[in-house]
Amino acid sequence: AALAALDEEELLADAAALVRIPSITPEERSAAELFARLAAERGLESRVLEHDLALLRADPDHPGEESARTELFSAIAVSPGLDAGAPRLALNGHLDVVAPGSEKWSRDPWSGQIADGRLHGRGSVDMKGAVVAALHAVVAVAAAGGVPGHVGLQAVASEEDGCLGTFAALSEDSDFAACLIPEPTAFAVAVLPASIAFAVLF
């Protein structure tokens, strides 16, 4: 039922729109705002969060930063569960990308062009396409009747720079039974206990 509810054309259009935003670390705000708007248009509760950098930097578990930044934004989209007491699931993906580099591109790196069955542009794989796929998966599951537990999708900044965005998102809300991160891994699934995952991140 969820697969039947999935609109592939809308998914591609949303992914292309996100790729067109040059959200090179640490300039992720516009991408977070677009993601929140797309989530709201698809019927999810969504909001943009501006994180308190001073508070995060004072935290003894602060993961560190390489890029100079004056702001940190994330977007959160929520699909409420059918049972308030059921375990909650987090989906997490990053909106920041690395710069296009000095090699010549065959297309504009921010084109978001869909051609030859592929989405082209910086971040299509790592990982705006996956973030939008996660968004549409949540929407499709909700349309098919939903699931017992609350599902929260965290679209974060700063993965290319120490994972400060995920650290900030979890500082806001970490009450999840599990987290799925659709990072590109050539479809190799990595399963980590929460204690190890937090050690890897932080």
Side-chain angles (χ1 to χ4, degrees):
L3 285 174
L6 191 66
D7 189 319
E8 294 184 9
E9 290 189 4
E10 287 188 348
L11 192 163
L12 283 170
D14 288 352
L18 201 55
V19 168
R20 292 187 192 108
I21 296 179
S23 53
I24 301 169
T25 314
E27 303 293 333
E28 307 98 345
R29 180 176 183 171
S30 294
E33 291 172 343
L34 174 60
F35 179 86
R37 188 170 79 247
L38 293 174
E41 289 172 355
R42 303 292 174 234
L44 299 184
E45 300 172 8
S46 69
R47 66 188 192 279
V48 175
L49 298 178
E50 181 176 9
H51 301 286
D52 187 329
L53 274 174
L55 189 64
L56 292 170
R57 287 167 174 161
D59 192 303
D61 293 322
H62 174 252
E65 302 166 48
E66 297 174 17
S67 300
R69 72 166 61 243
T70 59
E71 61 182 23
L72 180 69
F73 285 85
S74 296
I76 307 297
V78 174
S79 180
L82 303 174
D83 177 358
R88 302 167 77 238
L89 173 68
L91 302 177
N92 174 288
H94 65 90
L95 298 171
D96 61 319
V97 298
V98 297
S102 58
E103 295 294 324
K104 184 177 180 180
W105 287 64
S106 60
R107 292 175 171 82
D108 179 345
W110 311 114
S111 70
Q113 183 180 4
I114 299 170
D116 305 321
R118 298 175 184 272
L119 171 62
H120 297 267
R122 173 61 87 204
S124 298
V125 173
D126 189 15
M127 69 178 294
K128 293 179 178 180
V131 170
V132 172
L135 166 62
H136 280 260
V138 171
V139 171
V141 168
V147 292
H150 160 120
V151 179
L153 175 50
Q154 304 166 332
V156 301
S158 193
E159 190 271 351
E160 304 289 356
D161 179 30
C163 293
L164 181 62
T166 292
F167 180 79
L170 291 174
S171 296
E172 297 279 346
D173 182 6
S174 61
D175 184 22
F176 297 103
C179 178
L180 173 64
I181 302 175
E183 185 78 23
T185 59
F187 298 106
V189 178
V191 181
L192 297 175
S195 57
I196 296 177
F198 276 89
V200 169
L201 282 174
F202 310 127

